[in-house]
Amino acid sequence: GSSSVESLDYEVIENYAYREEQAQRGKLYVGYSVVVKWFFALLIGIGTGLAAVFINISVENFAGWKFSLTFSIIQKSYFAGFLVYILINLILVFSSVYIITKFAPAAAGSGIPEIKGYLNGVDIHGILLFRTLIGKIFGSIGSVGGGLALGKEGPLVHTGACIASLLGQGGSTKYHLRYRWLQVFRSDRDRRDLVTCGCAAGVAAAFRAPVGGVLFALEEVTSWWRSQLMWRVFFTSAIVAVVVRSAMGWCKSGKCGHFGSGGFIIWDISDGQEDYSFEELLPMAVIGVIGGLLGALFNQLTLYMTSWRRNYLHKKGNRVKIIEACVISVITSVISFGLPLLRKCSPCPESDLDSGIECPRPPGMYGNYVNFYCSKDKEYNDLATIFFNTQDDAIRNLFSAKTIHEYSAQSLLTFLVMFYTLAVVTFGIAVPAGQFVPGIMIGSTYGRLVGMFVVNFYKKLNIEEGTYALLGAASFLGGSMRMTVSLCVIMVEITNNLKFLPLIMLVLLISKAVGDAFSEGLYEEQAHLRGVPLLESRPKYKMRQMTAKEACGAQKVVSLPRIIKVADVVSILRTNKHNGFPVIDHSRNGERLVIGLVLRSHLLVLLQSKVDFQHSPLPCDTRGGSKPISHSFSEFVKPASSKGLSIDDIHLSSDDMEMYIDLGPFLNPSPYVVPEDMSLSKVYNLFRQLGLRHIFVVPRASRVIGLITRKDLLIED
Amino acid sequence: GSSSVESLDYEVIENYAYREEQAQRGKLYVGYSVVVKWFFALLIGIGTGLAAVFINISVENFAGWKFSLTFSIIQKSYFAGFLVYILINLILVFSSVYIITKFAPAAAGSGIPEIKGYLNGVDIHGILLFRTLIGKIFGSIGSVGGGLALGKEGPLVHTGACIASLLGQGGSTKYHLRYRWLQVFRSDRDRRDLVTCGCAAGVAAAFRAPVGGVLFALEEVTSWWRSQLMWRVFFTSAIVAVVVRSAMGWCKSGKCGHFGSGGFIIWDISDGQEDYSFEELLPMAVIGVIGGLLGALFNQLTLYMTSWRRNYLHKKGNRVKIIEACVISVITSVISFGLPLLRKCSPCPESDLDSGIECPRPPGMYGNYVNFYCSKDKEYNDLATIFFNTQDDAIRNLFSAKTIHEYSAQSLLTFLVMFYTLAVVTFGIAVPAGQFVPGIMIGSTYGRLVGMFVVNFYKKLNIEEGTYALLGAASFLGGSMRMTVSLCVIMVEITNNLKFLPLIMLVLLISKAVGDAFSEGLYEEQAHLRGVPLLESRPKYKMRQMTAKEACGAQKVVSLPRIIKVADVVSILRTNKHNGFPVIDHSRNGERLVIGLVLRSHLLVLLQSKVDFQHSPLPCDTRGGSKPISHSFSEFVKPASSKGLSIDDIHLSSDDMEMYIDLGPFLNPSPYVVPEDMSLSKVYNLFRQLGLRHIFVVPRASRVIGLITRKDLLIED
Ligand SMILES: Nc1ncnc2c1ncn2[C@@H]1O[C@H](COP(=O)(O)OP(=O)(O)OP(=O)(O)O)[C@@H](O)[C@H]1O
Ligand SMILES: Nc1ncnc2c1ncn2[C@@H]1O[C@H](COP(=O)(O)OP(=O)(O)OP(=O)(O)O)[C@@H](O)[C@H]1O
Ligand SMILES: [Mg+2]
Ligand SMILES: [Mg+2]
């Protein structure tokens, strides 16, 4: 629930310790920190690239080995092959779900909603831990290798984000891997930038689509954006491309088993359809509409599934989660093995020596026309070609050109229904799971179905069914995830076919518009369900009629005086759960003044260290320098990967309780304020655009000291 | 200078009239305005697409006709051909510079710095007028058709922005083309969104690169960004692609003369180099460095040229501007005709029937190996192939693959030096001028030079010089304009070669980094020079140590009481140039209160209409409804395309002067405020991120009425 959720603070807390540190450091340090930031972008790129290569090598080898073993056994006995196939899948899925439930519960699912939440300013405990990273990597090897209807792309985004966050805090606290010199990233804001780089790196690595990665991070995950950041994210993506490409080059000679064959582009269809005519726009629009409908339906169904799981099934403990995953694994194996068995084989097309098409082929290998349970020699099983195969190959086959009439409508329809159901059911089990690849599979199946009708209907033109499969994939992703520009670029980068860009745009526009009419995007819905309170970029309509004062309610403000007794601090922190408290002081002429905001976490640090306790209730004059500062700014930095202190962890003697603290040096002296009757939509913009955590609602000012306009801000260094 | 510059206000002014209007309209109106926004995005796309097609048809026909005429004459006399060539160019350039100087001075140059300024919040008079649009379109036909060293891409961005802005205000005020029902865009903020769409449409149309257009608008021009806007911008770009594509399809049969031949992709090199080896990375990095250096040098030289022109040459009036442009036109013609004459022709390569290369060809037509001043039959002039040719064809020839050894190093070097010089000199003359195409020409020349050395050095590999030309083009643009992601995507979209994407990224990273070490980007520098006070996204380092109070200086604040005598308003407006005034009132118990901010432009509207003048100095109680409101919100909308009212335009009788105005209903009741000791970098962030115009600096509050946190903002409609 949202009770465990805290906000991040993207504002710099300019307290005394911070200003001291700033003053000490000077301008050179700014240069140093820029260098470190770039260095970290490099490291994130390398790390994510290597993680992606590792996952890919493992998955492709497990899957390849699984299919070749099964295929060699079914030469003798289909039943024995069936059992072996089920067993291997089961073992892989079991290992995945075991890792997740026992070791890294936060690594379940795709992780994108949580990362989106993090970048929106919501701190969800556990999503960026080292164990989550490990769980994500090994878990997704098991779940994807085990043939479930899910992908490894979402998890790679999460992996990238974890790597970025861990680097950002200088290693893992728990495993004693922290290095002092790496700790330049003190604020939530810097970490956010790193995590953005990590997300981009994840997509870049997953799809080998560097520009798509940048745009995904920009459009789908981040809530704030600066053009310098774009430039760094771009660099990270480029590094990922270099790393993955080098690894593929190294693996080309067969050093890495099944990995490394094929080009850099995952599903290259650059030799596909040459051109398209205006008549084709209608069926393409139809694909867009189908995509919007099926995508919105997918979101809705997975929403029900997930909330049902959360409320009933997963409450019963880890054992149920493990059993559930195993059951789904067995069902998936049975369907993907069994259904092709029921299918009659089709004769191979007349072999055209030029086209280099080989028919039939064994399953689990690069190429169309898979031979499975066919009685005659020159026959192939069209359902096995897509169902009893690795996902990558299935998609490649669905996208493939020059293979008109390869699939029967019946097979495609069977596959569509079964796989859609499997994808919905699988969504939300306790393993790392991405929705990109299943989405592409679903979309390209109905796309190809439409393509078949078009080929039959228009006859003349050189229409390729593969083109329609591609558009179908785009439409389903658009209808479900509601991305636009980034999806466009990703689709182009993974298929290497720029000619279809305008068509992809058209299809996406339609499917997104249709989808938006029914529901929110997949990630937003999942975030809502998980209690991640995302703030949209636009205020709600209702807010126009509300004022700031109305929004903050009638609750009395819990504020602290500047010099406060330790006992009072403890009791205030115990009796409420607020994370920020206004600090009120009296000026010399007795006037009350709001002098700043102090955070609960800072108060806890003060209570724990005790060095700032004083006997007298008089202010210590920090400005005069009479007292050396006893805290460095870094002590106040919230650790990214632990829950931080709680008031119950702190033990104070009764002597301590009688002492005082001067909060003056530790408060944020200038939080943003709004007058009480500002409309809430303006307050919302302020809060959302600047990434704030607390805003003070104050009475109208009595006078204006000055005005700041553009001219006043044109200061040169 | 910056004195003529005003700021835009991206904040909604929630005065009484606005709230009335909001209340009357309700939620349905929100839906209506969304529909209108999409409709406008559609119109902008169609308009910009058609404008681009018109410009392209004109330019290509003028240029094609020019070259074929010249070529037919030089069969008899080179001298006569020379004269005709010079004359045609001169006429075209003259018409362009005449239109600009006499009719639309704001249409000179590329317009991108100004649009960037507009989207950053600076209102420069005249840049978005109807006459500017007309001047831009016809001017760039003349200047590009006249063979100057400039392009039509920058002007197309400006054209798109003009179209968007004119639509946004419902037509041109001056030419009585306004329609009431189109006037839904009341605020600067809505206009800004439209202009962003227009920019994207411009790039999309110029390069036939829809995704590149979106990214250009995002990365290079806009300063604020929301993901809904991205979605609309994307739609506009898609429309442009459809329009341009349809027009090209329609023109294919030759209906539009020279236009419409060739594919949708401008410089298709998809049949170029297949792969690249690691050894090639070094020369590519060298290209990146050269690009950074030459790009930064270009920025610096053009900066000197422009400031010299502004301070000396162009002060002397329009005649000097016209003469200058004509002189440069003649010089350009002489060089582009004369230099190839001095060059010895080379023998045609052994014709390979398969490759379909024809040698020699007449100039001004699609294809390599131009025949110009060659004595023998099977010879071509390599310098004429790039110099005595249209820019599009020259670039296509430079990018072309399978034409190794077409150019001699000497020719390329000659062209590089001459064209670079011409581009620098031409920059800043009073015609519409883009820097994209000249940049691509310069870059691809040195890129091809490097490629020649690589071909000679590595020998074995199937290296194409054209690839290096492409990378050179990317590097020069990166070194001069400092774009990253958008440039990458544009380069891929204009050449249809995804394989080189990682290389383009590499080259851009290097050239931008090298360039950044020397100077700012081209557009930023030009904006500075023109006195457009751009606010960067990041506060300056110095601001961390300053407070808000220090920034606004010691100047006494000019504020107004709520009920004010007309004579006082007039005298205040006369005696200073401020655009915003705090309004102070006294509450019942005599306390002073800042009740809001009133804009000069609103005061002027009130003074002009006079309906709100009252005899008694007592507040009119608008809330009680005793007095009907006499103004609708639309009266306060600042016209985008005229300077607006000035105090000197308003004539008031002495009776009027003795009356009073109650400012209560007309002020913005809740401008953003900051406490006096907030650090200036935080104030900067507030100002910059929210796109404000005025911020009040106020004393610290005496109490906190409430706190607003994320939870308070999670309101559902
Ligand atoms: N110091 C305070 N005094 C009174 N009310 C407060 C105070 N701080 C927050 N609130 C109110 O309490 C409600 C719950 O806020 P909450 O305690 O979760 O804020 P927080 O914990 O400080 O911030 P977050 O949960 O976003 O990290 C909100 O409506 C807010 O207005
Ligand atoms: N009402 C005012 N009273 C006193 N000083 C002001 C007032 N308005 C602006 N200033 C100050 O005058 C200087 C010049 O501001 P300027 O008059 O150009 O602002 P503006 O015209 O209101 O806004 P802009 O020029 O950005 O449209 C600034 O330093 C600003 O702080
Ligand atoms: Mg809380
Ligand atoms: Mg001004």
Side-chain angles (χ1 to χ4, degrees), chain A residues 163-344:
Chain A
I163 291 176
S165 166
L166 289 171
L167 280 171
Q169 58 166 315
S172 159
T173 353
K174 193 150 179 202
Y175 300 94
H176 302 290
L177 294 168
R178 304 189 64 152
Y179 300 100
R180 279 248 140 225
W181 64 274
L182 288 178
Q183 293 177 33
V184 267
F185 300 105
R186 295 291 172 67
S187 64
D188 287 342
R189 188 201 294 235
D190 290 330
R191 288 211 190 112
R192 174 187 74 189
D193 290 355
L194 288 180
V195 170
T196 309
C197 286
C199 287
V203 175
F207 294 109
R208 300 177 211 152
V211 176
V214 175
L215 292 178
F216 177 82
L218 155 63
E219 187 186 354
E220 188 59 30
V221 268
T222 67
S223 304
W224 292 279
W225 189 259
R226 288 169 296 118
S227 64
Q228 293 106 315
L229 181 59
M230 187 155 184
W231 176 212
R232 207 151 76 227
V233 170
F234 184 68
F235 172 73
T236 314
S237 273
I239 296 296
V240 171
V242 170
V243 169
V244 173
R245 210 187 174 103
S246 311
M248 290 184 72
W250 192 79
C251 288
K252 199 137 217 160
S253 44
K255 289 195 196 83
C256 322
H258 292 75
F259 177 74
S261 57
F264 185 71
I265 283 136
I266 307 190
W267 302 299
D268 198 327
I269 56 161
S270 55
D271 54 351
Q273 188 166 332
E274 270 308 305
D275 210 349
Y276 46 89
S277 59
F278 267 97
E279 297 155 329
E280 286 181 75
L281 291 185
L282 181 69
M284 285 168 183
V286 170
I287 288 183
V289 174
I290 299 178
L293 293 176
L294 286 186
L297 183 67
F298 185 81
N299 292 3
Q300 221 46 48
L301 291 177
T302 50
L303 194 68
Y304 291 141
M305 282 298 294
T306 325
S307 69
W308 175 74
R309 277 212 176 86
R310 285 172 69 88
N311 296 335
Y312 301 98
L313 210 57
H314 287 182
K315 280 211 172 133
K316 299 195 180 131
N318 282 343
R319 190 173 309 177
V320 175
K321 288 187 189 170
I322 294 179
I323 294 174
E324 180 195 24
C326 292
V327 169
I328 289 178
S329 163
V330 172
I331 295 176
T332 310
S333 308
V334 169
I335 291 179
S336 64
F337 192 101
L339 279 187
L341 285 185
L342 303 179
R343 197 54 219 144
K344 266 220 306 284

Side-chain angles (χ1 to χ4, degrees), chain A residues 7 11 14 22 26-27 30 120-122 210-211 214-215 218-219 226 228 230-231 234-235 238 245-246 275-276 278 484-485 488-489 492-493 496 498 501 505 509 512 533-535 537-538 540-544 546 548-549 551-552 557 580 582 592-595 668-673 676 678-680 682-687 689-690 693-710 712-717, chain B residues 7 11-12 14 22 26-27 30 120-122 210-211 214-215 218-219 226 228 230-231 234-235 238 245-246 275-276 278 484-485 488-489 492-493 496 498 501 505 509 512 533 535 537-538 540-544 546 548-549 551-552 557 580 582 592-595 668-673 676 678-680 682-687 689-690 693-710 712-717:
Chain A
S7 302
E11 200 189 347
E14 297 174 323
Q22 285 288 321
K27 224 173 157 177
V30 175
N120 191 271
V122 184
V211 176
V214 175
L215 292 178
L218 155 63
E219 187 186 354
R226 288 169 296 118
Q228 293 106 315
M230 187 155 184
W231 176 212
F234 184 68
F235 172 73
R245 210 187 174 103
S246 311
D275 210 349
Y276 46 89
F278 267 97
T484 52
V485 187
C488 245
V489 174
V492 169
E493 283 191 86
N496 190 17
L498 252 172
L501 181 60
M505 291 176 93
L509 278 166
K512 182 175 150 77
L534 293 181
L535 290 183
S537 61
R538 193 193 276 262
K540 290 273 191 281
Y541 182 75
K542 212 176 170 184
M543 294 184 181
R544 298 190 193 179
M546 292 174 71
K549 196 178 173 183
C552 59
V557 174
R592 294 179 78 222
L593 279 183
V594 180
I595 57 165
N668 175 2
S670 48
Y672 286 99
V673 298
E676 49 183 322
M678 185 181 270
S679 82
L680 195 57
K682 282 175 84 166
V683 179
Y684 187 94
N685 279 337
L686 175 65
F687 193 93
Q689 308 280 44
L690 300 188
R693 188 174 182 186
H694 298 102
I695 292 182
F696 285 175
V697 180
V698 297
R700 283 188 174 284
S702 62
R703 64 198 176 96
V704 178
I705 295 174
L707 263 80
I708 291 195
T709 65
R710 181 174 287 260
D712 302 315
L713 297 174
L714 296 171
I715 292 169
E716 290 296 319
D717 263 341
Chain B
S7 302
E11 201 188 343
V12 176
E14 296 175 323
Q22 286 288 319
K27 222 170 160 181
V30 176
N120 191 271
V122 184
V211 177
V214 176
L215 292 179
L218 156 64
E219 188 185 353
R226 289 170 296 117
Q228 292 107 312
M230 186 157 186
W231 177 213
F234 183 70
F235 172 73
R245 209 185 175 106
S246 311
D275 209 350
Y276 47 89
F278 267 96
T484 53
V485 187
C488 245
V489 174
V492 169
E493 285 190 86
N496 190 16
L498 251 173
L501 180 60
M505 290 176 92
L509 278 167
K512 180 175 152 78
L535 290 182
S537 62
R538 195 194 276 262
K540 291 273 190 278
Y541 182 75
K542 211 175 169 184
M543 295 184 181
R544 298 191 194 178
M546 292 175 71
K549 197 180 175 183
C552 61
V557 174
R592 294 179 79 220
L593 279 184
V594 179
I595 57 165
N668 175 1
S670 47
Y672 287 100
V673 298
E676 50 183 322
M678 184 181 269
S679 83
L680 195 56
K682 282 176 82 167
V683 179
Y684 188 94
N685 279 336
L686 174 65
F687 193 91
Q689 308 279 44
L690 300 188
R693 188 173 182 188
H694 297 103
I695 292 181
F696 285 177
V697 180
V698 297
R700 281 187 175 287
S702 63
R703 64 198 176 94
V704 178
I705 295 174
L707 263 81
I708 291 195
T709 66
R710 182 173 286 261
D712 302 315
L713 297 174
L714 296 171
I715 293 168
E716 291 296 319
D717 262 342

Side-chain angles (χ1 to χ4, degrees), chain A residues 2-3 5-8 121 551-553 555-559 576-582 597 599-600 638 687 692-696, chain B residues 705-713:
Chain A
S2 69
S3 63
V5 164
E6 282 202 358
S7 302
L8 295 166
C552 59
Q555 215 178 350
K556 210 178 154 297
V557 174
V558 184
S559 57
N576 69 58
K577 292 183 134 191
H578 299 318
N579 282 303
F581 304 94
L597 171 108
L599 289 180
R600 170 183 288 262
K638 188 175 153 198
F687 193 93
L692 302 182
R693 188 174 182 186
H694 298 102
I695 292 182
F696 285 175
Chain B
I705 295 174
L707 263 81
I708 291 195
T709 66
R710 182 173 286 261
K711 287 212 187 67
D712 302 315
L713 297 174

Side-chain angles (χ1 to χ4, degrees), chain A residues 102-120:
Chain A
K102 296 281 143 143
F103 179 70
S110 93
I112 293 179
E114 285 88 355
I115 300 296
K116 207 173 157 155
Y118 181 85
L119 292 175
N120 191 271

